[in-house]
Amino acid sequence: MAHFAALAGLGSYLPPRLVTNAELAARFDTSDEWITSRTGIRTRHWATPGVATSDLAVEAGHRALKSADLPLEPGAVDAVVLATTTPDHPCPATAPQVAARLGLGTIAAYDIAAVCSGFLYALAVASAQIAAGQARRVLVIGAETYSTILNPADRTTSVIFGDGAGAVVLSATPDADRPGVVLGVELGSDGSQQDLIIIPGGGSRERATPGSPDPQGRYFAMQGKKVFAEAVTRMGDSASALLDRVGWPVESLDHLVGHQANIRILAALAQRLGIDEERAVVNVDRVGNTSAASIPLALSDAAAAGTLTAGSRVLLTAFGGGLTWGAAVLTWPHLNVA
Ligand code: UT7
């Protein structure tokens, strides 16, 4: 019997510390006016020292399981997939710890590293595990603590990125037409442009030596202008290719949930796709760019606000370091949002 992966639970978590543009303007050579006009961001949340990505992932995962009416016990899900750029440690992966702390037992648990496209990559592999009959239910989490890798000397990245986590439960169904089924996924990459978004140190390119490595290499770096142009083109083209493949005319879409990197990118993306800007879900103003957590956080906010309603056609698309990008489509299901 064929299996399809359907969205069955959704949850999110933001660390409590709210960072305003005014606070950043007191610390960097920047202003509320520059940040709002160039990015649309007004606030973001940053984890306090000592709080790691797994802490946010556990909270969001817990809420998604609750939303799916699943207990915190072995057997609730068959796998945990965690998309992150900011794992608790370079080794091991963070997902096994999250699975253990949620009490989910000794199940498959692994991380996905695709930067801001990570959640869509994780959604793709989790859906494929379900389609292959390897799992009945999978907890898919996007979680980040970018505040731990921001360069304090870089005002541009410091004002853009925020911390947070979002999670979904995917559940197997034999019914391809059931609302919530992930109807299609499109993924892509261009490693020839890896330098546009990079943490240069801390990997095998920089061999571990006695004495600590240059802390400068541990910071996140981005060439914003080039990334902006690539983001609009890649998200637009992958979304168009997917819509063609599943046979959804662009006019039939109810909501565009794009990676929340910059309000101007979301506007340019809507324009490129020929979608009314009103249909674009926006929470970048409140949470900033939360990388792999961006899509599930936007979904969670929009569902809680009543914007995403059962039966609406939803297009997800993301772009990030790698370069990587992707898109997915589904019809929104009835969900309790936690
Ligand atoms: O998550 C992965 C995907 N990421 C993205 O999609 C991010 C894409 N890029 C962007 O969103 C935008 O390129 C940024 C928001 C990063 C930058 O906006 P921009 O309009 O492309 O600005 P810019 O880099 O061209 O810089 C314009 C000016 C420069 O000054 P000069 O050279 O014109 O004198 C910058 O030095 O703005 C200056 N600037 C700032 N000024 C005040 C850069 N950052 C700041 C700042 N405050 N925080």
Side-chain angles (χ1 to χ4, degrees), residues 28-31 34-35 38-39 115-116 146 154-161 197 220 222-229 231 235 259-262 264-265 289 291 319-321:
F28 298 97
D29 179 17
T30 189
S31 64
W34 191 95
I35 303 169
R38 305 311 294 165
T39 71
V115 198
C116 301
Y146 261 62
D154 181 355
R155 63 179 174 175
T156 310
T157 51
S158 293
V159 304
I160 294 173
F161 288 93
I197 295 175
F220 175 89
M222 176 173 76
Q223 296 180 38
K225 251 197 163 29
K226 288 183 181 162
V227 168
F228 190 115
M235 284 195 282
H259 170 46
Q260 305 287 309
N262 184 322
R264 294 188 294 131
I265 292 179
N289 183 342
S291 192
F319 171 87

Side-chain angles (χ1 to χ4, degrees), residues 47-57 86-88 97 101 144-145 148:
T48 45
V51 172
T53 294
S54 65
D55 302 325
L56 311 190
T86 50
D88 286 14
Q97 190 202 144
R101 284 169 60 188
E144 301 281 16
T145 46
T148 63

Side-chain angles (χ1 to χ4, degrees), residues 172-185:
T173 173
D175 179 4
D177 295 326
R178 186 172 126 186
V181 165
V182 180
L183 293 170
V185 181

Side-chain angles (χ1 to χ4, degrees), residues 108-170:
Y110 53 97
D111 288 3
I112 294 280
V115 198
C116 301
S117 315
F119 180 78
L120 289 187
Y121 269 73
L123 193 75
V125 291
S127 301
Q129 268 197 284
I130 287 174
Q134 292 172 4
R136 289 160 304 140
R137 283 186 294 268
V138 183
L139 177 61
V140 183
I141 309 174
E144 301 281 16
T145 46
Y146 261 62
S147 62
T148 63
I149 54 167
L150 291 173
N151 184 343
D154 181 355
R155 63 179 174 175
T156 310
T157 51
S158 293
V159 304
I160 294 173
F161 288 93
D163 302 340
V168 301
V169 173
L170 291 180

Side-chain angles (χ1 to χ4, degrees), residues 4 18 32 59 85 144 163 195 204 269 292 316 331:
F4 302 92
L18 189 73
D32 176 48
E59 293 291 342
T85 320
E144 301 281 16
D163 302 340
D195 289 349
S204 59
L269 174 64
L316 317 178
T331 301

Side-chain angles (χ1 to χ4, degrees), residues 207-281:
R207 192 169 282 259
T209 50
S212 54
D214 178 6
Q216 208 58 33
R218 299 298 176 98
Y219 293 131
F220 175 89
M222 176 173 76
Q223 296 180 38
K225 251 197 163 29
K226 288 183 181 162
V227 168
F228 190 115
E230 284 286 337
V232 176
T233 313
R234 298 303 191 176
M235 284 195 282
D237 290 358
S238 88
S240 295
L242 181 58
L243 291 174
D244 279 353
R245 181 147 63 80
V246 300
W248 279 11
V250 79
E251 313 79 59
S252 74
L253 280 177
D254 295 298
H255 301 288
L256 163 66
V257 184
H259 170 46
Q260 305 287 309
N262 184 322
I263 192 87
R264 294 188 294 131
I265 292 179
L266 292 172
L269 174 64
Q271 196 180 16
R272 186 179 178 93
L273 285 168
I275 297 174
D276 185 357
E277 256 184 67
E278 303 287 294
R279 299 194 183 175
V281 163

